[in-house]
């Protein structure tokens, strides 16, 4: 009766270790270019680690079922008449609830607090979305339709709105995203951590991430991260009130 | 066929009259959206009257006895029949056809996505194909299992002769073909490109095909609501003597849980689409671009559409639970806890919609509560997994096509469930929202969870419905093929999503080319697998060996009657005397027929050659 516990437990352990090793040694995440990206990636990896034993358990039962519980043909008998097992059900409920509560706390609320951060910022850049282009307005009033240039190591608040339908301001390299909503200004914070451009990483781009019509897929704009000094020079050079 | 011809004629007459009346009153052009609205409404009424509504409802209004189709030949499938088994087959065949059309659309999408740049369509056409694929498949997932197998099986499983409201049931089904016709004819008006979600204000300002989307979906909503009502009343009031709630088969429980949802939340989607329709044709401005109420639309939309995910998946859970107990020859593990879990999922599903909106710009204080509630759903879902694994545990597993499909389901739904946690967590969702990660996730839950269960159900109940056995060897090959091809198609899409490819795009940067090519090739292999499935089903329905009443040696009521069951299902009143899944017990039955003259014909397993 208890003979399956041991092999299934063993398979569970093996699968858990395998999946944990995969998560640890195979990086699926793209390069981080902002502090917010670190928060998101940490949360992502934590969830992957927590998922490992859960996946492993299902896989272990499936594997052992295929190996050892086969019973073919018309002459097969009924299995054991087990309707339930109070200890197993209670343990399961306690463990899954604990896991759910754990995930709500970390990465849940801890990640939420970190990704949201302080409401203060060093600069404010306005982003206005229209079908199908982005307009960037820098603190000095200078505007650009070609690229978004941001200072490294500075906390920038992006004030986002839309002139027509919903769009979404998303810089994959920063991992942050907020919808552009007509009539409302939404905001999101990001602190770039290294200098670079779309030449270095395809994810250094603004990509519209809310279906907005025919040109949605092409509604992208390169992002360039430069030093604070270069950035000030740049925004002055393209105009505005200085 | 004369009723079908009459329905088409009345429908066309209705459409022309609607358009003509509109033009007579306000002038304008026949392709004006307002003319299409009145045309569609009258066409729908004409269609329903023509197919048999005149006899089924109209006669009563003038004091005569209402009549439903009494035909017993193949023609009844094209008539307004109140027979739940006929309606189940009508649903099954219609929605499977829609599934194949939706699948073909996805093949075109995957051809386009096989390489970066545009090859066979442009960006706008791609969005329209994507929207069409989305809504057709949503319709299949919403109504596939519950419409086909819910209608066919729930009355039999509870020992009833039919559904509570046969005429309403026929009405629910006959609303579906106009939905499919409406959606598929939208390209005539420029189609719709706002996705199946139809977010405003895009859906207020896009091409006129959107109006047909709205009308079709409102009609589909009506069908869902009436179907849900019918199932609720049937299960509550028409159970056979002895069929207590504690003895209800788990598939019926799942159908009941689903009906609770369809009956109570579908109105919200229909309501939101009505408001958008008004904005387009009546000059109102609920969701126009300058109003700034797009987030409100999303709230109303997801208030239906998140529960809709469970409308799709709950019947799938019922199928899978039913199958594991039969093919393990063990009682369903923790039956009562599992029923509690199904009902908890129903309750929680209506309070978690906000997790679709973490990046929508809704108020920040809503993020935390929606995250907690969403992650709470993992607990009852975990109970379903416990029940499945507990039932399989040391069972006598009989690896036939239905069980192989169930194993595929288990793997897929596990991936779907776990990746769902990443989308419930605010920090990770802010990144992953609207990427291909989401596309992969919901294909794992909806195809992996609902469509795999639908296919498993086709295998499992095929002998009951047709009286013949499908070819299990080909069925098993299909089950393995579809599972592997499905995973090869959608697993790479997680990766492209994590690496910055957004969804709903016909073009993408070069960086995602290799993974997309792999996914496209796998998708074609996946699509091809359906040829094997359809061939097997069609051939077996005609030429398959006779299956007998109970080829799986199962205990539930539908297997204790002939295959296919007689008209009104039972030759004499069934009385429920035991638990439906008491495998390995003292041999006491689930049901007895005290007044039966002789037991239904039995064919042994060898003869059925399964």
């Amino acid at each position: 009766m208890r003979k399956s516990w041991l092999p299934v437990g063993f398979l569970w352990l093996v699968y858990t270790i395998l999946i944990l090793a995969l998560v640890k040694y195979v990086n699926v995440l793209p390069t981080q270019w902002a502090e917010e990206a670190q928060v998101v990636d940490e949360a992502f990896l934590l969830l992957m680690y927590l998922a490992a034993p859960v996946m492993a358990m299902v896989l272990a039962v499936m594997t052992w079922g295929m190996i050892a519980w086969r019973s073919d043909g018309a002459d097969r008998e009924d299995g054991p008449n087990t309707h339930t097992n109070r200890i197993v059900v209670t343990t399961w409920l306690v463990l899954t609830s604990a896991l759910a509560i754990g995930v709500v706390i970390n990465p849940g609320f801890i990640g939420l607090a970190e990704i949201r951060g302080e409401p203060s910022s060093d600069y404010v850049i306005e982003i206005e979305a229209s079908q199908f282009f982005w307009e960037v307005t820098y603190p000095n009033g200078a505007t650009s339709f070609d690229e978004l240039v941001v200072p490294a190591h500075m906390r920038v608040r992006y004030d986002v709105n839309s002139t027509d339908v919903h769009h979404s301001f998303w810089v994959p390299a920063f991992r942050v995203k907020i919808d552009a909503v007509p009539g409302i200004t939404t905001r999101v914070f990001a602190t770039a951590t290294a200098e670079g451009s779309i030449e270095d990483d395809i994810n250094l781009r603004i990509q519209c991430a809310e279906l907005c019509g025919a040109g949605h897929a092409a509604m992208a704009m390169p992002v360039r991260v430069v030093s604070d000094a270069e950035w000030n020079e740049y925004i002055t050079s393209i105009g505005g009130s200085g | 066929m004369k009723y079908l011809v009459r329905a088409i004629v009345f429908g066309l007459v209705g459409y022309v009259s609607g358009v003509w009346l509109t033009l007579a009153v306000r002038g304008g052009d026949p392709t004006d959206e307002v003319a299409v609205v009145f045309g569609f409404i009258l066409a729908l009424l004409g269609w329903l009257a023509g197919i048999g509504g005149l006899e089924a409802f109209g006669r009563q209004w003038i004091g005569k006895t209402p009549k439903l189709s009494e035909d017993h030949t193949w023609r009844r499938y094209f008539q307004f029949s109140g027979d739940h088994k006929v309606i189940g087959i009508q649903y099954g065949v219609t929605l499977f056809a829609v599934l194949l059309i939706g699948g073909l659309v996805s093949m075109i999408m995957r051809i386009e996505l096989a390489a970066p740049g545009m090859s066979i369509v442009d960006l706008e056409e791609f969005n329209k194909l994507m929207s069409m694929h989305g809504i057709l498949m949503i319709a299949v997932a919403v109504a596939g299992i519950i419409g086909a197998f819910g209608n066919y099986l729930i009355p039999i499983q509870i020992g009833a002769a039919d559904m509570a409201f046969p005429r309403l049931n026929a009405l629910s089904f006959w609303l579906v073909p106009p939905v499919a016709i409406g959606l598929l004819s939208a390209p005539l008006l420029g189609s719709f490109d706002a996705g199946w979600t139809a977010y405003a204000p895009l859906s207020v300002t896009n091409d006129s095909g959107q109006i047909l989307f709205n009308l079709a979906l409102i009609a589909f909503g009506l069908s869902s609501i009436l179907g849900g009502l019918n199932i609720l009343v049937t299960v509550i009031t028409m159970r056979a003597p002895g069929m207590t709630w504690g003895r209800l088969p788990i598939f019926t429980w799942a159908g009941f849980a689903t009906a609770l949802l369809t009956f109570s939340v579908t109105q919200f989607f229909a309501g939101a689409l009505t408001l958008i329709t008004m904005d387009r044709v009546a000059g109102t401005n609920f969701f126009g671009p300058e109003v700034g109420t797009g987030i409100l639309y999303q709230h109303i939309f997801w208030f239906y559409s998140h529960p809709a995910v469970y409308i799709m998946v709950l019947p799938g859970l019922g199928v899978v639970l039913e199958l594991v107990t039969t093919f393990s020859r063990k009682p369903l593990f923790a039956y009562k806890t599992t029923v509690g879990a199904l009902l908890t999922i129903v309750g929680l599903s209506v309070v978690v919609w906000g997790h679709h909106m973490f990046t929508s710009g809704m108020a920040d204080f809503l993020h935390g509560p929606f995250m907690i509630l969403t992650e709470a759903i993992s607990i009852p879902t975990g109970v379903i997994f416990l029940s499945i694994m507990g039932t399989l545990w040391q069972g006598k597993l009989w690896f036939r096509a239905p069980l192989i499909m169930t194993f595929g389901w288990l793997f897929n739904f596990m991936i779907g469930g776990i990746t769902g946690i990443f989308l419930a967590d605010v920090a990770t969702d802010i990144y992953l929202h609207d990427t291909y990660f989401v596309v992969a996730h919901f294909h794992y839950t909806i195809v992996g969870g609902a469509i795999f269960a639908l296919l498993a159900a086709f295998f499992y109940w095929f002998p009951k419905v047709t009286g013949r056995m499908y070819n299990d060897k080909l069925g098993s090959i299909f089950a393995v093929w579809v599972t592997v091809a499905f995973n090869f198609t959608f697993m790479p899409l997680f990766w492209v999503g994590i690496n910055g490819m957004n969804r709903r795009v016909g073009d993408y940067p070069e960086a995602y080319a290799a993974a997309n090519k792999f996914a496209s090739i796998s998708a074609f292999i996946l699509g091809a697998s359906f040829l094997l499935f359809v061939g097997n089903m069609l051939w077996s329905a005609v030429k398959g060996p006779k299956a007998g009443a109970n080829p799986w040696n199962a205990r539930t009521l539908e297997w204790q009657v002939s295959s296919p069951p007689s008209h009104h299902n039972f030759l004499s009143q069934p009385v429920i005397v035991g638990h439906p899944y008491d495998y390995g017990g003292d041999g006491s039955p689930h049901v007895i027929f005290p007044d039966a003259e002789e037991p239904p014909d039995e064919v042994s397993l060898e003869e059925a050659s399964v």
Side-chain angles (χ1 to χ4, degrees):
Chain A
M1 190 55 200
R2 307 226 173 277
K3 64 179 188 290
S4 292
W5 288 109
L6 211 60
V8 173
F10 176 73
L11 279 172
W12 182 15
L13 196 68
V14 171
Y15 283 142
T16 306
I17 293 168
L18 274 176
I19 299 170
L20 287 176
L22 273 176
V23 176
K24 184 158 174 59
Y25 294 109
V26 180
N27 177 38
V28 294
L29 291 160
T31 316
Q32 299 168 348
W33 292 88
E35 285 174 12
E36 287 69 19
Q38 291 160 14
V39 175
V40 169
D41 291 1
E42 262 172 44
F44 187 93
L45 286 174
L46 181 56
L47 288 175
M48 292 285 271
Y49 286 125
L50 290 172
V54 180
M55 284 176 72
M57 178 182 286
V58 180
L59 292 175
V61 172
M62 285 172 68
T63 313
W64 195 244
M66 287 190 273
I67 295 170
W69 300 336
R70 283 175 166 280
S71 164
D72 265 25
D75 56 338
R76 63 211 189 98
E77 298 160 359
D78 283 359
N81 184 242
T82 324
H83 278 272
T84 187
N85 180 325
R86 185 177 292 188
I87 299 170
V88 171
V89 173
T90 312
T91 313
W92 180 273
L93 281 173
V94 169
L95 286 180
T96 53
S97 305
L99 191 60
I101 293 168
V103 169
V104 165
I105 295 169
N106 190 18
F109 276 95
I110 293 177
L112 177 57
E114 285 175 357
I115 193 89
R116 201 175 277 169
E118 295 297 313
S120 60
S121 60
D122 301 309
Y123 299 112
V124 175
I125 296 178
E126 289 170 32
I127 306 282
E128 190 173 82
S130 305
Q131 286 172 321
F132 301 97
F133 59 90
W134 303 94
E135 181 182 0
V136 179
T137 306
Y138 293 102
N140 64 349
T143 61
S144 168
F145 295 90
D146 311 317
E147 64 172 344
L148 169 68
V149 182
V150 294
H153 309 296
M154 292 289 160
R155 187 167 163 83
V156 177
R157 190 180 93 200
Y158 298 91
D159 282 1
V160 181
N161 58 55
S162 165
T163 60
D164 38 49
V165 301
H166 288 228
H167 303 270
S168 192
F169 170 78
W170 179 41
V171 182
F174 296 170
R175 309 281 194 279
V176 293
K177 181 185 293 134
I178 192 75
D179 282 7
V181 183
I184 297 174
T185 299
T186 53
R187 58 181 52 162
V188 70
F189 297 87
T191 309
T193 46
E195 295 173 31
S197 74
I198 197 164
E199 308 294 323
D200 306 304
D201 186 346
I202 186 66
N203 286 324
L204 273 171
R205 70 185 197 276
I206 304 177
Q207 174 71 57
C208 182
E210 185 63 71
L211 181 62
C212 59
H216 170 58
M219 192 167 155
M221 180 192 244
V223 174
R224 188 153 57 94
V225 186
V226 297
S227 71
D228 192 27
E230 280 177 272
W231 181 73
N232 277 300
E233 212 170 286
Y234 167 80
I235 62 173
T236 315
S237 74
I238 62 166
S241 50
Chain B
M1 296 297 270
K2 73 170 187 208
Y3 290 100
L4 191 62
V5 172
R6 193 177 75 176
I8 293 167
V9 172
F10 281 19
L12 287 173
V13 170
Y15 189 84
V16 173
S17 335
V19 171
W20 180 80
L21 275 172
T22 312
L23 297 188
V25 173
R26 72 180 276 281
D29 196 79
T31 55
D32 283 353
E33 292 186 11
V34 61
V36 176
V37 170
F38 286 103
F40 187 88
I41 292 169
L42 290 189
L44 192 62
L45 292 174
W47 164 270
L48 292 173
I51 196 68
L54 280 182
E55 287 79 9
F57 295 97
R59 283 172 60 90
Q60 196 171 30
W61 300 334
I62 55 169
K64 292 186 181 169
T65 325
K67 280 203 294 202
L68 281 161
S69 163
E70 296 288 335
D71 208 321
H72 289 290
T73 67
W74 58 273
R75 290 187 188 84
R76 65 194 153 147
Y77 295 107
F78 300 94
Q79 291 173 3
F80 202 81
S81 171
D83 183 341
H84 71 99
K85 294 197 288 295
V86 173
I87 294 170
I89 291 171
Q90 288 171 330
Y91 261 110
V93 172
T94 310
L95 290 172
F96 198 80
V98 176
L99 176 78
L100 294 180
I101 298 170
L104 283 177
V105 177
S106 75
M107 292 297 109
I108 305 174
M109 290 162 65
R110 282 316 319 179
I111 292 172
E112 179 55 62
L113 290 171
M118 303 313 287
S119 53
I120 54 169
V121 292
D122 63 28
L123 284 178
E124 188 174 1
E125 285 161 352
F126 183 89
N127 287 352
K128 290 174 177 177
L129 287 171
M130 174 275 294
S131 305
M132 185 65 85
H133 168 74
I135 195 61
L136 291 177
M137 292 311 207
I138 290 285
V140 172
V142 160
I145 300 179
I146 196 73
F149 293 97
N151 266 309
Y152 198 98
L153 293 169
I154 286 174
I156 313 183
Q157 283 199 330
I158 64 170
D162 208 315
M163 296 286 270
F165 307 119
R167 287 187 292 169
L168 217 52
N169 204 12
L171 186 63
S172 298
F173 168 71
W174 284 106
L175 279 164
V176 174
V179 173
I181 296 166
L183 289 173
L184 291 170
S185 56
L188 297 175
L189 291 175
S191 207
F192 46 90
D193 67 348
W196 83 274
T197 49
Y199 272 13
L202 180 60
S203 55
V204 177
T205 55
N206 60 356
D207 286 345
S208 291
Q210 186 69 41
I211 203 79
L212 278 170
F213 174 99
N214 294 2
L215 294 165
L217 265 285
I218 292 167
F220 190 57
L222 179 60
S223 163
S224 284
I225 295 166
L226 296 179
L229 172 74
N230 218 338
I231 289 172
L232 289 181
V233 177
T234 305
V235 175
I236 292 170
T237 65
M238 295 183 63
R239 284 166 291 133
M243 180 58 88
T244 58
W245 290 99
R247 288 171 175 169
L248 214 53
I250 199 71
F251 177 73
T252 296
W253 260 120
F256 183 78
T258 310
L260 280 172
L261 282 176
T262 49
F263 180 60
S264 36
V265 296
T266 312
Q267 296 83 343
F268 289 85
F269 191 21
L273 288 178
T274 306
L275 295 180
I276 286 178
T277 306
M278 301 267 286
D279 277 3
R280 294 182 73 107
V281 302
T284 58
N285 203 355
F286 294 109
F287 297 124
E290 52 291 326
V291 193
T293 45
I295 295 177
L296 176 64
Y297 172 83
Q298 294 177 24
H299 278 294
I300 306 174
F301 172 80
W302 286 114
F303 190 76
Y304 161 73
S305 293
H306 191 75
V309 173
Y310 292 93
I311 292 173
M312 301 171 207
V313 168
L314 283 170
L317 298 179
V319 169
V320 164
L321 291 164
E322 195 81 50
L323 264 57
V324 287
T325 166
T326 305
F327 287 89
S328 307
R329 301 213 63 77
K330 278 184 66 198
L332 185 69
F333 187 76
Y335 170 89
K336 283 183 187 167
T337 318
T338 308
V339 170
L342 291 175
L343 296 175
T344 310
I345 290 174
V346 169
L348 283 174
S349 75
V350 293
V351 288
V352 299
W353 76 89
H355 67 239
H356 295 273
M357 299 171 59
F358 286 147
T359 66
S360 69
M362 74 175 177
D364 278 352
F365 69 84
L366 292 171
H367 290 186
F370 276 122
M371 180 171 66
I372 297 175
L373 290 163
T374 305
E375 283 173 1
I377 282 203
S378 66
I379 300 166
T381 311
V383 170
I384 305 289
F385 272 90
L386 171 68
S387 178
I388 293 170
M389 294 193 294
T391 309
L392 292 172
W393 191 264
Q394 294 185 346
K396 305 280 183 189
L397 305 194
W398 195 14
F399 280 95
R400 287 297 175 267
L403 188 63
I404 302 174
M405 285 303 305
T406 302
F407 267 59
W409 181 97
L410 199 54
F411 181 81
N412 295 338
F413 202 61
M414 169 192 76
I415 303 283
I418 283 171
T419 50
I421 302 284
F422 292 77
L423 301 172
D425 183 77
V426 179
T428 44
D429 181 68
I430 282 178
Y431 178 54
L432 296 170
H433 176 81
D434 226 85
T435 65
Y436 253 85
F437 187 90
V438 177
V439 174
H441 159 74
F442 72 69
H443 280 88
Y444 267 93
T445 49
I446 296 174
V447 181
I451 303 298
F452 268 59
L454 177 71
L455 296 169
F458 270 117
F459 284 126
Y460 180 58
W461 282 294
F462 185 84
K464 179 51 59 186
V465 174
T466 63
R468 290 175 188 276
M469 202 57 180
Y470 64 89
N471 184 315
D472 193 75
K473 196 157 276 171
L474 292 179
S476 303
I477 292 171
F478 167 77
V480 174
W481 180 355
V482 76
T483 306
V484 172
F486 172 81
N487 276 281
F488 277 25
T489 306
F490 289 98
M491 205 59 93
L493 300 184
F494 282 120
W495 184 86
V496 295
I498 293 166
N499 282 277
M501 178 168 164
N502 53 329
R503 64 189 280 210
R504 295 172 155 174
V505 290
D507 193 13
Y508 51 83
E510 189 66 39
Y512 314 116
N516 270 293
K517 183 175 245 172
F518 185 83
S520 281
I521 293 169
S522 306
F524 305 141
I525 298 171
L526 174 63
S529 72
F530 278 78
L531 295 174
L532 177 61
F533 179 81
V534 174
N536 190 358
M537 292 286 130
L538 288 180
W539 191 85
S540 302
V542 183
K543 297 272 185 184
K546 291 261 188 267
N550 194 358
W552 308 119
N553 202 9
R555 284 177 56 91
T556 42
L557 198 36
E558 77 270 26
W559 299 105
Q560 315 312 319
V561 295
S562 60
S563 302
S566 56
H567 191 54
H568 291 322
N569 306 334
F570 303 102
L571 301 172
S572 68
Q573 177 65 52
V575 175
I576 313 302
V577 292
H579 196 271
Y581 306 117
D582 197 20
Y583 294 103
D586 54 10
S588 60
H590 167 52
V591 57
I592 54 170
F593 296 89
D595 308 325
E597 282 154 21
E598 54 187 278
D601 62 313
E602 268 299 338
V603 178
S604 71
L605 288 165
E606 289 86 333
E607 287 174 59
S609 64
V610 285

